[in-house]
């Protein structure tokens, strides 16, 4: 009897050793997939998007527009616009469902009116719909089309979109508003997804 009990204990330990990693594994996969849903992008004046690349502690586009950079800091992300193009934080859907887009943006140093070249930034929340062939034209989300930020008050956003589909892209875009002097900023941008995932994130982010 004691021998049978010992065998049962050994068998249970073996089963739990095999099952537990399988139960825990999806949590790790989900976290990795969520992180891969985000990307930094550069938007040129002609409406084309390009993925930015890591260089040291920054993400850059190219030397053609060297002031277009992204820096991740303890208190948020800086999306510094270039001389010509916008800098963006993008999210891409891996399925069909409803999303909540929320966050904030504020200037690091608000203009005080003494220097005319320091005139703030323009902030836009953008959606690009995935189609069978490419993407539809980018559209600004209601109420967040080139919002001028030129004070210390900043902006908070929190919106829900119910008809998101696989491959759709949401972008938080910062524009220089004519020049990028003292355009340092702090951005928080997150997208919560509720629905059915249909596969891996396409990863092109509308480029």
């Amino acid at each position: 009897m004691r021998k049978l009990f010992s065998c049962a204990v050994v068998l249970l330990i073996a089963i739990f050793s095999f099952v537990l990693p399988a139960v825990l594994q999806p949590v790790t996969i989900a976290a990795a997939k969520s992180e891969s849903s985000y990307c930094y992008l550069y938007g040129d004046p002609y409406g084309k998007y390009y993925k930015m690349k890591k260089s040291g502690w920054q993400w850059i586009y190219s030397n053609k527009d060297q002031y277009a950079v992204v820096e991740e800091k303890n208190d948020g992300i800086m999306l510094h616009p270039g001389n010509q193009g916008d800098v963006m934080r993008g999210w891409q859907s891996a399925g069909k469902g409803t999303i909540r887009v929320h966050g904030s943006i504020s200037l690091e140093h608000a203009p005080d009116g003494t220097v005319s070249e320091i005139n703030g930034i323009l902030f836009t929340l953008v959606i690009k719909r995935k189609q069978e062939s490419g993407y539809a034209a980018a559209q600004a989300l209601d109420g967040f089309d080139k919002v001028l930020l030129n004070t210390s008050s900043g902006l908070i956003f929190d919106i829900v979109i119910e008809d998101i589909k696989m491959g759709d892209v949401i972008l938080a875009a910062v524009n220089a508003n004519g020049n990028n002097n003292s355009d340092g900023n702090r951005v928080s941008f997150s997208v919560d997804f509720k629905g059915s995932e249909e596969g891996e994130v396409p990863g092109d982010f509308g480029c």
Side-chain angles (χ1 to χ4, degrees), residues 37-38 89-93 99 168-170 189 191 193 205:
S37 299
Y38 291 91
R89 173 75 160 162
W91 173 89
Q92 189 165 34
S93 176
I99 61 171
D168 288 351
V169 177
I170 304 294
F189 172 74
V191 180
F193 174 83
F205 293 88

Side-chain angles (χ1 to χ4, degrees), residues 114-161:
T114 59
V115 182
S116 60
E117 289 79 11
I118 302 176
N119 62 353
I121 57 178
L122 298 176
F123 177 74
T124 304
L125 284 176
V126 177
I127 184 169
K128 288 194 77 175
R129 297 283 191 180
K130 179 73 172 175
Q131 298 179 326
E132 289 186 7
S133 57
Y135 288 83
Q139 293 183 328
L141 297 177
D142 290 344
F144 297 97
D145 186 8
K146 296 180 180 178
V147 179
L148 176 63
L149 294 170
N150 61 355
T151 69
S152 59
S153 59
L155 174 72
I156 296 174
F157 51 92
D158 194 337
I159 59 177
V160 173
I161 305 173

Side-chain angles (χ1 to χ4, degrees), residues 5-24:
F5 177 76
S6 300
C7 290
V9 171
V10 171
L11 180 60
L12 284 173
I13 292 173
I15 290 173
F16 277 106
S17 298
F18 177 77
V19 170
L20 281 177
V23 173
L24 295 175

Side-chain angles (χ1 to χ4, degrees), residues 36-42 48-52 88 90-94 128-135 166-171 200-207:
S36 67
S37 299
Y38 291 91
C39 184
Y40 295 119
L41 300 134
Y42 174 85
K48 293 184 178 180
Y49 297 167
Y50 304 89
K51 289 183 181 181
M52 301 179 78
M88 298 172 278
W91 173 89
Q92 189 165 34
S93 176
K128 288 194 77 175
R129 297 283 191 180
K130 179 73 172 175
Q131 298 179 326
E132 289 186 7
S133 57
Y135 288 83
M166 176 75 164
D168 288 351
V169 177
I170 304 294
L171 300 161
E200 295 296 324
V201 177
D204 53 6
F205 293 88
C207 294

